[in-house]
Amino acid sequence: MSLEGRAAVITGATSGIGFRVACALSRRGVKLVLGGRRADVLEQHCEVLPDALYLAGDIAEPDMPGRLLELALERHGRLDIVVNNAGQNHNGPIESVDVEQVCGMARVNVEAAFRMAYLAVKHFRDVGRGHLVNTSSVLGFKVRPYAGAYAGTKYAVEALSEALRLELAGTPIKVTCVEPGLVITDLHRDHADRPEVAQDVAEPLMPEEVAEMIVYALEQPDHIATPRLMILPQSQSI
Ligand SMILES: NC(=O)c1ccc[n+]([C@@H]2O[C@H](COP(=O)([O-])OP(=O)(O)OC[C@H]3O[C@@H](n4cnc5c(N)ncnc54)[C@H](OP(=O)(O)O)[C@@H]3O)[C@@H](O)[C@H]2O)c1
């Protein structure tokens, strides 16, 4: 199904999976609104991506999800796709984990994701169509030592996604939960060890590979739903 002429909001679009989704959708003629905190990076992206706008700011601010959606409606005149992707990853053993960082992560990964999901689906209900993509993780249904809080945020995203899918079954509105394994992005930049070494993954995913799978879900015909999309490196034994 062609995505040409549609409009998408992508959160967490400065880097990693979100930026690569922006590139992949742009190649298919989708108009974009990009979110993230680093305004200078978003500005650079918008210089090279046609029909792309940005709004920089902390997605955990309660009004930010709504402002991103409003920008798409005001400037692109429509909103068909929301990629609810901004996320943080703060882990650690009990002795040294930073509880404030963990709670900040929960505000981004859960509270902001929930606000965005509900606002997006309310809009899709009003116009009678739309596709919400939530970036979860393989840790949305498994846990690892030291990563319980991060996994908990993704379990929450999985639960909301599944409930919305059930609520919206039979309507033209779709919800997809994306569940990547290890992807090489900036997400683990603060970790002491490189994640592919710490997790013993010989060949992790690249963000553009995950982006193409997300576009695959978005391009499915109206009658096909892709509620969950797990994407793992073949070398990851999680
Ligand atoms: N990498 C992996 O192995 C992996 C695996 C499974 C799932 N995921 C999920 O994939 C999603 C994207 O992560 P990524 O791997 O692509 O990492 P990334 O490159 O670090 O991207 C994270 C994005 O979230 C944005 N962000 C973080 N905190 C924010 C805040 N308070 N306000 C607004 N934007 C914020 C960042 O932008 P700014 O820094 O500019 O704010 C960035 O654009 C996340 O939800 C993550 O949990 C990643």
Side-chain angles (χ1 to χ4, degrees):
M1 196 181 66
S2 170
L3 300 176
E4 174 107 39
R6 298 193 183 203
V9 167
I10 307 171
T11 67
T14 45
S15 57
I17 296 168
F19 173 58
R20 294 299 173 173
V21 172
C23 296
L25 289 180
S26 183
R27 285 195 294 276
R28 284 146 173 103
V30 177
K31 300 167 192 165
L32 303 172
V33 169
L34 309 181
R37 287 167 300 180
R38 287 167 286 166
D40 54 334
V41 178
L42 292 172
E43 191 175 341
Q44 285 168 18
H45 293 343
C46 289
E47 282 167 12
V48 294
L49 298 173
D51 285 323
L53 309 165
Y54 74 90
L55 181 63
D58 187 345
I59 195 71
E61 291 293 326
D63 64 345
M64 186 53 79
R67 289 177 61 202
L68 286 160
L69 303 187
E70 278 160 22
L71 183 61
L73 291 170
E74 277 168 19
R75 298 282 299 280
H76 293 319
R78 61 187 294 162
L79 174 63
D80 309 280
I81 298 163
V82 171
V83 184
N84 199 8
N85 167 77
Q88 300 181 359
N89 179 291
H90 297 297
N91 302 321
I94 297 158
E95 296 75 18
S96 60
V97 70
D98 183 331
V99 177
E100 289 310 315
Q101 266 194 340
V102 164
C103 292
M105 170 181 73
R107 284 191 286 277
V108 172
N109 293 13
V110 181
E111 182 181 334
F114 280 16
R115 284 184 197 280
M116 180 58 100
Y118 278 118
L119 290 177
V121 172
K122 279 176 192 287
H123 168 72
F124 295 155
R125 278 283 214 196
D126 289 345
V127 296
R129 60 164 201 282
H131 198 147
L132 171 68
V133 177
N134 291 325
T135 310
S136 172
S137 167
V138 67
L139 292 189
F141 50 92
K142 288 172 178 276
V143 296
R144 279 196 278 112
Y146 314 135
Y150 176 76
T153 67
K154 297 303 188 182
Y155 271 62
V157 168
E158 291 281 341
L160 178 63
S161 303
E162 179 63 0
L164 288 175
R165 181 187 72 78
L166 293 167
E167 195 173 334
L168 295 165
T171 78
I173 301 164
K174 297 187 189 179
V175 179
T176 299
C177 215
V178 182
E179 300 158 343
L182 182 62
V183 192
I184 295 301
T185 67
D186 292 345
L187 193 74
H188 313 97
R189 62 180 165 262
D190 298 331
H191 295 199
D193 301 314
R194 285 178 25 222
E196 63 272 35
V197 175
Q199 296 179 38
D200 191 22
V201 180
E203 195 176 355
L205 302 172
M206 299 307 290
E208 51 270 34
E209 294 165 340
V210 178
E212 285 302 325
M213 299 289 279
I214 291 173
V215 172
Y216 164 83
L218 291 169
E219 288 182 331
Q220 292 308 302
D222 289 344
H223 68 289
I224 298 180
T226 45
R228 296 174 64 187
L229 202 56
M230 185 176 23
I231 314 161
L232 290 180
Q234 178 62 17
S235 52
Q236 187 169 12
S237 65
I238 190 166

